PDB file of all heavy atoms in Angstrom:
ATOM      1  N   VAL B  62      -1.799   9.152 -13.361  1.00  0.00           N
ATOM      2  CA  VAL B  62      -0.480   9.602 -13.844  1.00  0.00           C
ATOM      3  C   VAL B  62       0.335   8.387 -14.280  1.00  0.00           C
ATOM      4  O   VAL B  62       1.101   8.443 -15.240  1.00  0.00           O
ATOM      5  CB  VAL B  62       0.247  10.432 -12.764  1.00  0.00           C
ATOM      6  CG1 VAL B  62       1.684  10.745 -13.176  1.00  0.00           C
ATOM      7  CG2 VAL B  62      -0.519  11.732 -12.483  1.00  0.00           C
ATOM      8  N   LEU B  63       0.109   7.255 -13.575  1.00  0.00           N
ATOM      9  CA  LEU B  63       0.810   6.023 -13.957  1.00  0.00           C
ATOM     10  C   LEU B  63       0.495   5.635 -15.406  1.00  0.00           C
ATOM     11  O   LEU B  63       1.378   5.178 -16.145  1.00  0.00           O
ATOM     12  CB  LEU B  63       0.427   4.881 -13.005  1.00  0.00           C
ATOM     13  CG  LEU B  63       1.080   3.530 -13.303  1.00  0.00           C
ATOM     14  CD1 LEU B  63       2.588   3.587 -13.091  1.00  0.00           C
ATOM     15  CD2 LEU B  63       0.467   2.435 -12.443  1.00  0.00           C
ATOM     16  N   ASP B  64      -0.766   5.828 -15.836  1.00  0.00           N
ATOM     17  CA  ASP B  64      -1.137   5.507 -17.219  1.00  0.00           C
ATOM     18  C   ASP B  64      -0.361   6.386 -18.198  1.00  0.00           C
ATOM     19  O   ASP B  64       0.054   5.923 -19.265  1.00  0.00           O
ATOM     20  CB  ASP B  64      -2.646   5.692 -17.408  1.00  0.00           C
ATOM     21  CG  ASP B  64      -3.436   4.726 -16.541  1.00  0.00           C
ATOM     22  OD1 ASP B  64      -3.115   3.524 -16.562  1.00  0.00           O
ATOM     23  OD2 ASP B  64      -4.353   5.179 -15.834  1.00  0.00           O
ATOM     24  N   ALA B  65      -0.178   7.663 -17.816  1.00  0.00           N
ATOM     25  CA  ALA B  65       0.587   8.562 -18.688  1.00  0.00           C
ATOM     26  C   ALA B  65       2.044   8.112 -18.771  1.00  0.00           C
ATOM     27  O   ALA B  65       2.664   8.146 -19.842  1.00  0.00           O
ATOM     28  CB  ALA B  65       0.496   9.993 -18.154  1.00  0.00           C
ATOM     29  N   LEU B  66       2.584   7.652 -17.630  1.00  0.00           N
ATOM     30  CA  LEU B  66       3.968   7.152 -17.638  1.00  0.00           C
ATOM     31  C   LEU B  66       4.077   5.892 -18.492  1.00  0.00           C
ATOM     32  O   LEU B  66       5.033   5.701 -19.245  1.00  0.00           O
ATOM     33  CB  LEU B  66       4.436   6.859 -16.202  1.00  0.00           C
ATOM     34  CG  LEU B  66       4.685   8.078 -15.309  1.00  0.00           C
ATOM     35  CD1 LEU B  66       4.899   7.652 -13.864  1.00  0.00           C
ATOM     36  CD2 LEU B  66       5.887   8.886 -15.787  1.00  0.00           C
ATOM     37  N   HIS B  67       3.064   5.012 -18.385  1.00  0.00           N
ATOM     38  CA  HIS B  67       3.030   3.813 -19.236  1.00  0.00           C
ATOM     39  C   HIS B  67       3.011   4.213 -20.705  1.00  0.00           C
ATOM     40  O   HIS B  67       3.698   3.615 -21.535  1.00  0.00           O
ATOM     41  CB  HIS B  67       1.779   2.977 -18.932  1.00  0.00           C
ATOM     42  CG  HIS B  67       1.939   2.098 -17.738  1.00  0.00           C
ATOM     43  ND1 HIS B  67       0.879   1.717 -16.951  1.00  0.00           N
ATOM     44  CD2 HIS B  67       3.032   1.522 -17.193  1.00  0.00           C
ATOM     45  CE1 HIS B  67       1.313   0.926 -15.978  1.00  0.00           C
ATOM     46  NE2 HIS B  67       2.614   0.805 -16.103  1.00  0.00           N
ATOM     47  N   HIS B  68       2.205   5.218 -21.016  1.00  0.00           N
ATOM     48  CA  HIS B  68       2.095   5.677 -22.401  1.00  0.00           C
ATOM     49  C   HIS B  68       3.467   6.104 -22.923  1.00  0.00           C
ATOM     50  O   HIS B  68       3.861   5.748 -24.041  1.00  0.00           O
ATOM     51  CB  HIS B  68       1.095   6.848 -22.483  1.00  0.00           C
ATOM     52  CG  HIS B  68       0.661   7.159 -23.867  1.00  0.00           C
ATOM     53  ND1 HIS B  68       1.460   7.873 -24.750  1.00  0.00           N
ATOM     54  CD2 HIS B  68      -0.473   6.863 -24.539  1.00  0.00           C
ATOM     55  CE1 HIS B  68       0.815   7.997 -25.894  1.00  0.00           C
ATOM     56  NE2 HIS B  68      -0.358   7.376 -25.809  1.00  0.00           N
ATOM     57  N   VAL B  69       4.182   6.847 -22.094  1.00  0.00           N
ATOM     58  CA  VAL B  69       5.526   7.300 -22.496  1.00  0.00           C
ATOM     59  C   VAL B  69       6.435   6.093 -22.679  1.00  0.00           C
ATOM     60  O   VAL B  69       7.133   5.961 -23.696  1.00  0.00           O
ATOM     61  CB  VAL B  69       6.114   8.274 -21.439  1.00  0.00           C
ATOM     62  CG1 VAL B  69       7.581   8.581 -21.747  1.00  0.00           C
ATOM     63  CG2 VAL B  69       5.295   9.550 -21.370  1.00  0.00           C
ATOM     64  N   LYS B  70       6.421   5.188 -21.712  1.00  0.00           N
ATOM     65  CA  LYS B  70       7.347   4.049 -21.758  1.00  0.00           C
ATOM     66  C   LYS B  70       7.029   3.096 -22.917  1.00  0.00           C
ATOM     67  O   LYS B  70       7.925   2.598 -23.589  1.00  0.00           O
ATOM     68  CB  LYS B  70       7.313   3.291 -20.433  1.00  0.00           C
ATOM     69  CG  LYS B  70       8.343   2.148 -20.368  1.00  0.00           C
ATOM     70  CD  LYS B  70       8.477   1.589 -18.985  1.00  0.00           C
ATOM     71  CE  LYS B  70       9.454   0.410 -18.970  1.00  0.00           C
ATOM     72  NZ  LYS B  70      10.845   0.787 -19.226  1.00  0.00           N
ATOM     73  N   TRP B  71       5.747   2.861 -23.148  1.00  0.00           N
ATOM     74  CA  TRP B  71       5.364   1.871 -24.157  1.00  0.00           C
ATOM     75  C   TRP B  71       5.397   2.416 -25.588  1.00  0.00           C
ATOM     76  O   TRP B  71       5.621   1.673 -26.532  1.00  0.00           O
ATOM     77  CB  TRP B  71       3.951   1.338 -23.841  1.00  0.00           C
ATOM     78  CG  TRP B  71       3.905   0.532 -22.573  1.00  0.00           C
ATOM     79  CD1 TRP B  71       4.942  -0.076 -21.938  1.00  0.00           C
ATOM     80  CD2 TRP B  71       2.742   0.260 -21.771  1.00  0.00           C
ATOM     81  NE1 TRP B  71       4.506  -0.700 -20.792  1.00  0.00           N
ATOM     82  CE2 TRP B  71       3.164  -0.523 -20.667  1.00  0.00           C
ATOM     83  CE3 TRP B  71       1.393   0.589 -21.878  1.00  0.00           C
ATOM     84  CZ2 TRP B  71       2.289  -0.975 -19.686  1.00  0.00           C
ATOM     85  CZ3 TRP B  71       0.513   0.132 -20.894  1.00  0.00           C
ATOM     86  CH2 TRP B  71       0.960  -0.636 -19.811  1.00  0.00           C
ATOM     87  N   TYR B  72       5.132   3.720 -25.730  1.00  0.00           N
ATOM     88  CA  TYR B  72       5.004   4.245 -27.106  1.00  0.00           C
ATOM     89  C   TYR B  72       6.051   5.292 -27.484  1.00  0.00           C
ATOM     90  O   TYR B  72       6.209   5.595 -28.654  1.00  0.00           O
ATOM     91  CB  TYR B  72       3.602   4.855 -27.299  1.00  0.00           C
ATOM     92  CG  TYR B  72       2.499   3.855 -27.042  1.00  0.00           C
ATOM     93  CD1 TYR B  72       1.650   4.003 -25.956  1.00  0.00           C
ATOM     94  CD2 TYR B  72       2.336   2.739 -27.872  1.00  0.00           C
ATOM     95  CE1 TYR B  72       0.654   3.079 -25.702  1.00  0.00           C
ATOM     96  CE2 TYR B  72       1.339   1.811 -27.623  1.00  0.00           C
ATOM     97  CZ  TYR B  72       0.499   1.980 -26.538  1.00  0.00           C
ATOM     98  OH  TYR B  72      -0.475   1.057 -26.286  1.00  0.00           O
ATOM     99  N   THR B  73       6.740   5.906 -26.504  1.00  0.00           N
ATOM    100  CA  THR B  73       7.656   6.989 -26.851  1.00  0.00           C
ATOM    101  C   THR B  73       9.104   6.667 -26.517  1.00  0.00           C
ATOM    102  O   THR B  73       9.986   6.780 -27.372  1.00  0.00           O
ATOM    103  CB  THR B  73       7.250   8.307 -26.116  1.00  0.00           C
ATOM    104  OG1 THR B  73       5.847   8.486 -26.234  1.00  0.00           O
ATOM    105  CG2 THR B  73       7.992   9.503 -26.693  1.00  0.00           C
ATOM    106  N   ASP B  74       9.351   6.283 -25.268  1.00  0.00           N
ATOM    107  CA  ASP B  74      10.741   6.071 -24.853  1.00  0.00           C
ATOM    108  C   ASP B  74      10.803   4.899 -23.877  1.00  0.00           C
ATOM    109  O   ASP B  74      10.520   5.048 -22.685  1.00  0.00           O
ATOM    110  CB  ASP B  74      11.274   7.357 -24.190  1.00  0.00           C
ATOM    111  CG  ASP B  74      12.758   7.259 -23.876  1.00  0.00           C
ATOM    112  OD1 ASP B  74      13.315   6.144 -23.923  1.00  0.00           O
ATOM    113  OD2 ASP B  74      13.364   8.308 -23.581  1.00  0.00           O
ATOM    114  N   GLY B  75      11.180   3.755 -24.394  1.00  0.00           N
ATOM    115  CA  GLY B  75      11.221   2.529 -23.591  1.00  0.00           C
ATOM    116  C   GLY B  75      12.311   2.523 -22.538  1.00  0.00           C
ATOM    117  O   GLY B  75      12.345   1.633 -21.676  1.00  0.00           O
ATOM    118  N   THR B  76      13.206   3.500 -22.587  1.00  0.00           N
ATOM    119  CA  THR B  76      14.292   3.506 -21.590  1.00  0.00           C
ATOM    120  C   THR B  76      13.858   4.129 -20.258  1.00  0.00           C
ATOM    121  O   THR B  76      14.603   4.080 -19.291  1.00  0.00           O
ATOM    122  CB  THR B  76      15.521   4.295 -22.102  1.00  0.00           C
ATOM    123  OG1 THR B  76      15.155   5.679 -22.237  1.00  0.00           O
ATOM    124  CG2 THR B  76      16.007   3.759 -23.437  1.00  0.00           C
TER     125      THR B  76
END
Side-chain angles (χ1 to χ4, degrees):
Chain B
V62 172
L63 179 66
D64 296 311
L66 289 170
H67 278 152
H68 194 282
V69 172
K70 185 169 177 68
W71 293 339
Y72 302 113
T73 314
D74 186 346
T76 66

